[in-house]
Amino acid sequence: DAGITQSPRHKVTETGTPVTLRCHQTENHRYMYWYRQDPGHGLRLIHYSYGVKDTDKGEVSDGYSVSRSKTEDFLLTLESATSSQTSVYFCAISPGTGAGQPQHFGDGTRLSIL
Amino acid sequence: KQEVTQIPAALSVPEGENLVLNCSFTDSAIYNLQWFRQDPGKGLTSLLLIQSSQREQTSGRLNASLDKSSGRSTLYIAASQPGDSATYLCAVEAADMRFGAGTRLTVKP
């Protein structure tokens, strides 16, 4: 399995608090992604990174920010968490984009906003 | 906007049966189609990736085909086993990766 570690694995917090999720990879892959998975919506892309300090928005980026200061770490921040952000969050990595470049996923972080 | 549909949403079969899972997508301008397996409470495990120029890929008892012109892919599982029980997701990649909602497979002993 690809070396991807997400932390924390579970978190419960209150509305209005800041939350940061971490994704750490040991594969030295250029691309890193954050997705959320919700019943009825499947997996949707939040943000992605194509290099250190290079990030871009995905389909559902509102309310989220990201940072990548090192190749191996990609952080997802909810500045002021809302109940609608309760979800399972997955990090993925890929060596590149285009034909033949697979994405590999971490085990996810289950986040509950009360 | 790319839409990915998986049919059926759920499937239950007896052990040993061969089965086919279906995936359709609306925009044929894709780089890759990837099949994943997801166990309850777990992450996604990549099973097979088919590049847009390819017709099929095989891994063990799994065979995935791609017909880009018609916007369809199938995942064939031979001689199903209870350990194959999981949700199977397909995803197509163009500008970004879009996922289907999955097929929940149950293989009964």
Side-chain angles (χ1 to χ4, degrees):
Chain A
D1 287 346
I4 307 169
T5 304
Q6 291 187 231
S7 58
R9 293 294 317 281
H10 302 272
K11 187 173 182 67
V12 181
T13 191
E14 294 183 348
T15 301
T17 60
V19 177
T20 296
L21 308 183
R22 179 180 183 240
C23 178
H24 179 78
Q25 61 143 331
T26 58
E27 306 296 321
N28 200 35
H29 283 347
R30 180 180 175 192
Y31 284 78
M32 299 185 74
Y33 308 83
W34 278 107
Y35 292 89
R36 60 179 290 174
Q37 185 176 36
D38 304 288
H41 291 279
L43 277 107
R44 294 176 292 173
L45 181 66
I46 305 171
H47 281 281
Y48 69 99
S49 170
Y50 48 97
V52 174
K53 296 194 167 107
D54 293 322
T55 65
D56 206 349
K57 296 178 180 180
E59 183 184 1
V60 291
S61 60
D62 287 349
Y64 302 94
S65 63
V66 291
S67 65
R68 191 170 178 197
S69 60
K70 299 185 289 186
T71 298
E72 57 267 34
D73 289 327
F74 192 33
L75 303 181
L76 176 71
T77 297
L78 292 64
E79 299 290 348
S80 179
T82 68
S83 58
S84 65
Q85 293 175 311
T86 292
S87 186
V88 181
Y89 291 84
F90 288 100
C91 173
I93 65 173
S94 175
T97 59
Q101 304 289 341
Q103 290 191 19
H104 295 281
F105 284 73
D107 288 336
T109 293
R110 187 172 296 273
L111 178 62
S112 296
I113 315 292
L114 304 178
Chain B
K1 175 185 170 184
Q2 178 77 268
E3 300 285 345
V4 182
T5 303
Q6 291 187 248
I7 295 173
L11 180 64
S12 181
V13 301
E15 182 177 3
E17 195 162 292
N18 302 326
L19 59 100
V20 174
L21 307 180
N22 297 292
C23 173
S24 62
F25 48 97
T26 55
D27 187 344
S28 62
I30 64 170
Y31 295 130
N32 304 305
L33 186 143
Q34 201 167 350
W35 282 94
F36 296 90
R37 168 187 174 135
Q38 186 175 27
D39 294 288
K42 302 292 187 182
L44 281 68
T45 299
S46 180
L47 298 174
L48 291 164
L49 179 145
I50 310 176
Q51 299 180 41
S52 62
S53 60
Q54 297 174 328
R55 296 284 293 184
E56 66 178 320
Q57 285 287 330
T58 298
S59 176
R61 295 183 293 109
L62 306 180
N63 175 275
S65 68
L66 174 63
D67 183 344
K68 200 173 71 163
S69 61
S70 68
R72 295 180 186 275
S73 175
T74 61
L75 179 66
Y76 174 83
I77 302 176
S80 58
Q81 302 170 359
D84 294 330
S85 298
T87 296
Y88 290 81
L89 300 168
C90 75
V92 295
E93 183 175 9
D96 59 11
M97 185 169 273
R98 298 288 171 136
F99 287 80
T103 294
R104 181 177 297 177
L105 174 65
T106 302
V107 182
K108 297 181 178 179

